[in-house]
Amino acid sequence: MAKSSNPEGKTGVRIVVAGDRGTGKSSLIVTAAAETFPTNVPRLLPPTRLPEDFYPDRVPITIIDTSSNPEDRGKLAEELKRADAVVLTYACDQPETLNRLSTFWLPELRQLEAKVPVIVVGCKLDLRDDQQQVSLEQVMSPIMQQFREIETCIECSAYKHIQIPEVFYYAQKAVLHPTGPLFDQETQTLKPRCVRALKRIFILCDHDRDGALSDAELNNFQVKCFNAPLQPSEIVGVKRVVQDKLVEGVNERGLTLTGFLFLHALFIEKGRLETTWTVLRKFGYNNDIKLSDDLIPYSSFKRAPDQSVELTNEAIEFLKGVYELFDSDLDNNLRPIEVEDVFSTAPENPWNDAPYKDAAEKTALGGLSLDAFLSEWALMTLLDPARSLENLIYIGYPGDSSSAIRITRRRRLDRKKQQSERNVFQCFVFGPANAGKSALMNSFLGRPYLDSYSPTADEQYAVNVVELPGGIKKTLVLREIPEDGVSKLLSSKESLAPCDIAVFVYDSSDESSWKRATELLMDVAGHGEDTGYEVPCLIVAAKDDLDSFPMAIQNSTRVSQDMGIEAPIPISSKLRDFNNIFRRIVNAAEHPHLSIPETEAGRSRKQYHRLINRSLMVVSVGAAVAIVGFAAYRVYAARKNASS
């Protein structure tokens, strides 16, 4: 396989040379640039540029010389922070300069948080005492174990022109083709994210989906990545190398995934990282082994604050096919290991972390049903459409990526049209502490009721499918807002824009819980009126299995009537009596004009605007009459003059 080309987007590499005084920094730089040993070297060189054709990658290099004087420490630190790679020098004839690498220079780089590859270079090889010959590997092995940022160690002589070009070639290579993202030096294995990317590439190249790259597929892969075909003898040679070391790496159909991965591990072990990097970059991967940003159509996500993003039917049908493919025993239960397998061609499973972890209903066997699987995708598309689309691409979405998502109509327009066309609704769940919010969320996911109370510190999400009459399915996302997080939420003007409906939960046996819930309702309703992002609201009287507080019915009826919304809906999570609450939430979200609360201030504001509009209408009518009268007078005057 051929060498790499210039990685896209990399316009230059900045290499900073540092080390103790007298270790040969300046002589190293001048000899590399001029290809001749200097007789007089200035104490500090200006930035030195190596042209782009100096090395095969065709990326220009700028080399920065640094001063070792204590008074120049600030300038040195500044240069090290700006470096793409650092060359640390020691003098082969001065052992103390080698010791200083681990006692000063490498710790200094860590303190500056200069997380770049380091090339350790022993200069003045020609001056080393022949009586003290020790292998470089023996000397450097302990240091490299301690400082994993060291990419390569090399010894050179500027005076005798020994391995001078190699120094900056290795430094450039460490930047353009870094080892860290691909290979674990301790275990001597490919890193998980690298394996996942190569697996995806293998699947994309296995056009007949038979689990092996045939000779023709292997040749197509070679042409795509390296712009050169493989001769039949070369294909035979590649497969023989793999089979000699790994029998299962080749079968009668061709090179297996195991063999493909082994081949790349072999390239990396032999120092040919550019081969693997070329493959990764040809398939759109960046240095983090993730798809480059230019492959994700971010412009597709531009939307107003009160618009959301949903998967299209095309994407949903694709995901149904993925589910069926990985649910090998067809039991409508995608086990955790099978979910991991779905994302085995993505950098990681995006559902292993909040807010997706435990956000969907689990089967009795701890897996995901098809509805739960699609619900997780709906949640990710709602909260982070770019990540959702990125993962669709990772798992093999075949169509144009922009065909996988759609932008919904503005919620403000939904209210005017008196109907929402969304398939995914987001419900904010408010309420005081210990009101029953988490119990409502858990019941939505089919989890058992817990008698013990555990306060919610952070926002939580729960997502599930709600079936409506006629077999229509909608996805409902519940977002629990802790009581102490409400003021922070409402500090943003657009905080209610993504909300389709708000639910206010209170403990029906506790009057103080009711009072606090109404305060929260007033705050949210007022915020909606002030910002123009009004949301329909429902009140939920939780813990209906307990005795209601005195005046409960009278107070709740008065408040709901005053604000023009439905009376509180009684539920009991303990008795699993939910009074069709989730269907009622979706129904209210589908008809967003019916359940919008109105505060006293909002009512007064509307009356004021009505009065102003009426006054403007009177004024405009009066003005129109005056204009007509004036026009009539002009006609009369003109006729009179004509008759005269």
Side-chain angles (χ1 to χ4, degrees), residues 386-493:
R387 193 177 189 194
S388 182
L389 187 54
E390 186 180 355
N391 277 281
L392 277 172
I393 296 170
Y394 283 131
I395 68 172
Y397 182 70
D400 177 58
S401 53
S402 59
S403 70
I405 56 165
R406 74 179 191 96
I407 307 294
T408 64
R409 191 168 68 190
R410 295 193 64 172
R411 290 176 175 84
R412 187 173 297 176
L413 192 55
D414 284 348
R415 291 196 294 274
K416 287 183 180 178
K417 299 275 188 182
Q418 302 186 355
Q419 178 72 40
S420 175
E421 58 178 15
R422 283 176 171 73
N423 294 313
V424 180
F425 295 103
Q426 182 168 199
C427 170
F428 286 15
V429 181
F430 296 96
N434 202 19
K437 300 188 297 297
S438 296
L440 178 70
M441 303 273 287
N442 285 331
S443 65
F444 186 46
L445 301 180
R447 293 174 186 160
Y449 175 79
L450 299 175
D451 282 312
S452 58
Y453 170 62
S454 178
T456 303
D458 302 309
E459 290 188 358
Q460 303 287 335
Y461 286 86
V463 59
N464 213 336
V465 169
V466 177
E467 189 163 344
L468 303 177
I472 297 170
K473 289 184 174 183
K474 298 289 183 178
T475 302
L476 177 62
V477 174
L478 299 183
R479 176 183 173 188
E480 181 182 358
I481 314 291
E483 183 184 2
D484 57 6
V486 175
S487 57
K488 182 182 178 183
L489 176 77
L490 298 183
S491 64
S492 166
K493 178 185 176 182

Side-chain angles (χ1 to χ4, degrees), residues 70-111:
E71 60 269 22
D72 296 324
R73 184 67 58 81
K75 176 69 173 170
L76 170 66
E78 185 183 313
E79 292 292 0
L80 291 173
K81 287 178 181 178
R82 294 178 60 201
D84 292 318
V86 173
V87 168
L88 286 184
T89 61
Y90 67 92
C92 292
D93 62 334
Q94 301 172 48
E96 66 277 8
T97 60
L98 175 59
N99 294 335
R100 284 261 299 165
L101 295 182
S102 53
T103 59
F104 174 75
W105 287 105
L106 289 160
E108 177 76 2
L109 280 174
R110 285 187 175 179
Q111 189 173 339

